[in-house]
Amino acid sequence: MLQGHTVGLRARHESDVPVLHTELYNDVATRSRADNRPWRPLSSGSAASPFAVCDPSDGAACFSVVTLERDELAGEALLWGIDNHNRSAHLGLALRPAFRGRGLSTDIIRVLCWYGFGVRGMQRLQLETLSDNDAMLRAAERAGFVREGTLRRAAWVDGAFADQVVLGMLAEEWKR
């Protein structure tokens, strides 16, 4: 398990899937803001569930987030779009509703950076979030990410287009 100050990132367990699927996927409004693919009905047992346990791949590293204090399942975190040639990747996270607002996101981002830069040898990490997602913007900036630009009307969310902010960090900017 990868450990931060308050959270750990570990392999996904089968018992995590129904909880994550119910609280993170079946919340259509929230999921639609977090994923650029359209929501569609899926059962938690479906192999197409974004939380399904799968073998490691070169293109993504998926983790379950647990609190270190109580070993509670708090959400998911991932490096995705891993490009080993250019040594770059995107990162993402989602917290269960009961774990939002506790300041866990910055610690999760820092652990993902340690994994991306320290373990995987990435040169660049990037994240994208909606321009009105103040909590994610603050967490990313506290972790050292820099706003690189805004993709105007790049995301279709709840019947309208919304702006996305792109944030990035280079290996030499990373503070262990």
Side-chain angles (χ1 to χ4, degrees):
M1 177 167 56
L2 305 173
Q3 292 188 353
H5 297 290
T6 58
V7 298
L9 306 185
R10 63 159 170 76
R12 178 106 7 103
H13 298 166
E14 288 291 343
S15 60
D16 298 344
V17 175
V19 176
L20 294 173
H21 193 88
T22 297
E23 293 189 33
L24 298 179
Y25 188 79
N26 286 340
D27 178 352
V28 178
T30 301
R31 185 69 186 184
S32 296
R33 293 178 51 79
D35 195 335
N36 61 359
R37 297 167 294 191
W39 185 90
R40 56 194 172 127
L42 292 172
S43 71
S44 65
S46 169
S49 170
F51 308 106
V53 175
C54 56
D55 291 331
S57 77
D58 289 337
C62 302
F63 302 95
S64 286
V65 177
V66 294
T67 62
L68 293 177
E69 184 178 332
R70 294 191 176 142
D71 194 35
E72 296 174 294
L73 178 63
E76 71 149 348
L78 63 151
L79 244 54
W80 60 277
I82 297 172
D83 179 340
N84 288 311
H85 177 72
N86 293 304
R87 293 176 38 209
S88 65
H90 299 259
L91 60 91
L93 65 97
L95 291 171
R96 296 172 57 203
F99 293 88
R100 295 176 190 154
R102 294 189 189 181
L104 300 177
S105 295
T106 300
D107 199 31
I108 295 167
I109 293 169
R110 287 179 176 142
V111 177
L112 283 171
C113 287
W114 178 77
Y115 178 72
F117 293 128
V119 176
R120 297 292 297 259
M122 295 290 115
Q123 167 59 31
R124 172 185 170 74
L125 295 178
Q126 172 176 319
L127 67 88
E128 303 85 14
T129 191
L130 296 177
S131 62
D132 66 352
N133 189 346
D134 295 327
M136 179 56 106
L137 291 167
R138 279 192 309 273
E141 289 173 335
R142 276 194 301 263
F145 277 77
V146 175
R147 288 187 198 212
E148 296 180 333
T150 300
L151 303 173
R152 298 178 303 146
R153 294 179 48 172
W156 179 253
V157 180
D158 197 24
F161 285 101
D163 294 348
Q164 279 186 320
V165 176
V166 177
L167 299 102
M169 182 187 295
L170 302 177
E172 62 264 18
E173 298 167 338
W174 173 54
K175 297 175 181 123
R176 288 180 184 257

